[in-house]
Amino acid sequence: MKFEVLTIFPEIIECYIKHGVLGKALNKGIVEVKVYNLRDFTSDKHKKVDDYPYGGGAGMVMQIEPFYNAIMHLKADEKPRKLVLLSPQGRKFTQKLAQKFMEESKAMVLICGRYEGIDERVKAFVDEEVSIGDYVLSGGELAALVIIDSVVRLIPGALGDELSAVEDSFMKGFLDYPHYTRPEDFKGMKVPEVLLSGDHKKIALWRKRQALKNTLKNRPDLLKNLSPEDMRILKELC
Ligand SMILES: Oc1ccccc1-c1ccno1
């Protein structure tokens, strides 16, 4: 899978992708990330990317020309790609959308705006407008990294332990269970006995109960389409 990122701060993207799961996936050749500086697609000596808003108002607006020039440059190879604009006004990014992007797109262009927004006419050249949540960021770069990270984790072979991709919360429709590792007793805070029992059936049931308990407490909105067994466990918790 290939990601092409349009930004005025390439270093934000380049620094993050060297580490962790993304770094391993890049080294394995499972994913490719190319970052383009929008300033390289300007036509003035000052590499200007923003201007004052028509109609007045505070702040600056990013101009359409650098985005248009960059998008036309990418499209010159005539290869299919999904163009995604990161924006607070976009549709909400979820694990399901990450799965859809991974399954449907061989290449994605992630378009990062900054300042008070970008010229509305840029949207005529994109396929989707996506938000990672109900808050305002300084720019789209963090949102682009969230999308890259969550999509890459779903690519078969990207992770060392395939199971952790499947078990990641939200894929099953509820939050994750608690995790513990050594030491067994930290200042009197002990690991739950069941996890030391070696009884895998009991451990699986304990983890399911804990996951449902966490979900009921923090994200009851996720508790839809439960299996009859999960519903039975949930009813015991209520
Ligand atoms: O707040 C933003 C500013 C620029 C580009 C994207 C965002 C955003 C906020 C939430 N998801 O994306």
Side-chain angles (χ1 to χ4, degrees):
M1 183 154 192
K2 181 175 183 180
F3 294 94
E4 294 161 314
V5 185
L6 305 186
T7 171
I8 59 171
F9 293 126
E11 55 276 14
I12 293 177
I13 306 295
E14 287 157 352
C15 175
Y16 184 87
I17 61 175
K18 294 172 191 164
H19 304 283
V21 167
L22 270 183
K24 291 189 178 79
L26 284 166
N27 293 337
K28 289 178 186 174
I30 291 170
V31 69
E32 180 187 358
V33 179
K34 282 197 77 173
V35 191
Y36 295 86
N37 189 333
L38 284 161
R39 293 192 189 279
D40 296 338
F41 295 93
T42 55
S43 46
D44 67 303
K45 65 179 179 178
H46 300 297
K47 297 186 178 293
K48 183 176 168 52
V49 291
D50 65 308
D51 208 329
Y52 294 99
Y54 281 116
M60 304 293 274
V61 175
M62 293 186 76
Q63 293 172 283
I64 181 168
E65 189 186 2
F67 288 102
Y68 175 81
N69 293 342
I71 289 169
M72 292 306 119
H73 172 78
L74 295 180
K75 285 191 159 185
D77 67 10
E78 296 183 354
K79 289 179 181 174
R81 44 174 59 88
K82 180 179 283 291
L83 286 92
V84 175
L85 171 66
L86 288 315
S87 151
Q89 287 76 38
R91 76 167 171 158
K92 186 70 73 65
F93 183 66
T94 62
Q95 190 67 20
K96 281 185 173 64
L97 189 51
Q99 185 71 32
K100 182 172 179 282
F101 282 162
M102 188 278 288
E103 288 168 353
E104 294 178 2
S105 314
K106 286 273 180 284
M108 292 180 71
V109 181
L110 299 175
I111 301 166
C112 305
R114 304 226 23 120
Y115 308 116
E116 274 57 42
I118 67 173
D119 188 300
E120 186 71 8
R121 290 167 290 187
V122 172
K123 295 181 183 177
F125 302 95
V126 308
D127 301 309
E128 302 233 20
E129 191 176 355
V130 173
S131 162
I132 61 167
D134 297 333
Y135 36 77
V136 179
L137 302 169
S138 306
E141 288 79 10
L142 288 179
L145 287 169
V146 164
I147 290 178
I148 294 172
D149 193 296
S150 53
V151 171
V152 167
R153 289 179 62 84
L154 296 172
I155 298 173
L159 299 179
D161 172 359
E162 293 293 337
L163 194 57
S164 61
V166 174
E167 286 210 18
D168 275 354
S169 61
F170 295 98
M171 291 295 275
K172 300 164 300 181
F174 36 81
L175 299 182
D176 205 0
Y177 51 75
H179 296 263
Y180 294 85
T181 188
R182 291 168 183 75
E184 209 178 295
D185 182 333
F186 179 74
K187 298 180 186 293
M189 301 164 75
K190 296 182 178 177
V191 171
E193 280 297 325
V194 65
L195 298 180
L196 310 173
S197 68
D199 183 331
H200 295 294
K201 195 172 176 188
K202 266 189 181 176
I203 291 169
L205 179 59
W206 179 86
R207 284 177 167 170
K208 176 61 72 70
R209 286 174 62 88
Q210 293 299 317
L212 286 167
K213 189 176 172 185
N214 289 347
T215 310
L216 186 61
K217 174 171 174 281
N218 294 333
R219 287 296 305 275
D221 58 296
L222 294 176
L223 289 172
K224 294 177 279 210
N225 310 319
L226 290 179
S227 69
E229 170 59 11
D230 290 347
M231 186 58 82
R232 186 189 61 76
I233 296 171
L234 185 63
K235 282 178 179 164
E236 284 174 6
L237 294 169
C238 294

